Amino acid sequence: MVKPIVKDMFFLGQKSVETTPEDKQVAQDLKDTLDAHIDECVGMAANMIGYKKRSIIVFIGLTGVVMHNPVYVNRTGEFEAIEGCLSLTGARKAKRYREIEVKYQDENFNEKVQKYTGAIAQIIQHEMDHLDGIII
């Protein structure tokens, strides 16, 4: 289901809780909502659509990849980025890393570990910030 984009700073500023297999609807709603905003958005966190769950979706290649409960394994190459967000007006500075390694559970809750670089790494970091209540 396509969900409205949350713009409430109090809600967005709260830390999200672990996503469990009982939360399968979160992944589907992330997919549907990202698809509806694909012209203006390349990633989304569950709190942006009203779920205080540790799930994100990132558009990689031709599809949205769901990541439940992502955590950093490693980050290297710090730099300063300028980013926008559907939940916010305007662009802001953010500390990012050029290469990240992330451990997460896929849509079926199978554990994965993957390295990402460049723009995809930056998008994942932005969405992971949302999970910790960090508003750029």
Side-chain angles (χ1 to χ4, degrees):
M1 171 184 290
V2 176
K3 298 284 197 171
I5 302 300
V6 173
K7 296 183 185 282
D8 181 315
M9 291 301 116
F10 178 75
F11 184 82
L12 293 171
Q14 297 178 44
K15 287 191 175 198
S16 297
V17 298
E18 184 176 332
T19 304
T20 67
E22 289 77 34
D23 300 313
K24 263 206 169 311
Q25 188 61 43
V26 174
Q28 188 59 54
D29 290 348
L30 280 168
K31 287 181 188 179
D32 294 344
T33 307
L34 181 63
D35 285 347
H37 292 276
I38 201 63
D39 290 342
E40 56 191 337
C41 183
V42 291
M44 192 169 285
N47 67 347
M48 293 175 64
I49 59 169
Y51 294 108
K52 203 170 7 171
K53 294 291 183 171
R54 294 193 67 81
S55 295
I56 65 173
I57 188 168
V58 177
F59 200 73
I60 299 175
L62 301 174
T63 189
V65 174
V66 173
M67 297 179 178
H68 297 301
N69 306 309
V71 293
Y72 294 111
V73 174
N74 195 23
R75 299 182 279 187
T76 58
E78 184 178 323
F79 71 100
E80 186 176 277
I82 304 292
E83 300 175 351
C85 181
L86 275 181
S87 291
L88 305 170
T89 303
R92 293 169 174 80
K93 292 180 182 178
K95 179 174 79 171
R96 296 292 178 234
Y97 295 87
R98 297 190 193 290
E99 182 176 304
I100 61 172
E101 186 173 6
V102 179
K103 181 171 75 170
Y104 66 95
Q105 295 165 326
D106 67 13
E107 197 171 338
N108 297 309
F109 290 89
N110 298 308
E111 191 168 291
K112 307 279 185 183
V113 178
Q114 181 72 43
K115 288 184 180 181
Y116 299 95
T117 60
I120 292 172
Q122 186 176 344
I123 296 162
I124 291 169
Q125 291 170 81
H126 178 102
E127 303 313 335
M128 286 179 67
D129 275 359
H130 274 289
L131 303 180
D132 291 326
I134 297 170
I135 301 168
I136 62 165

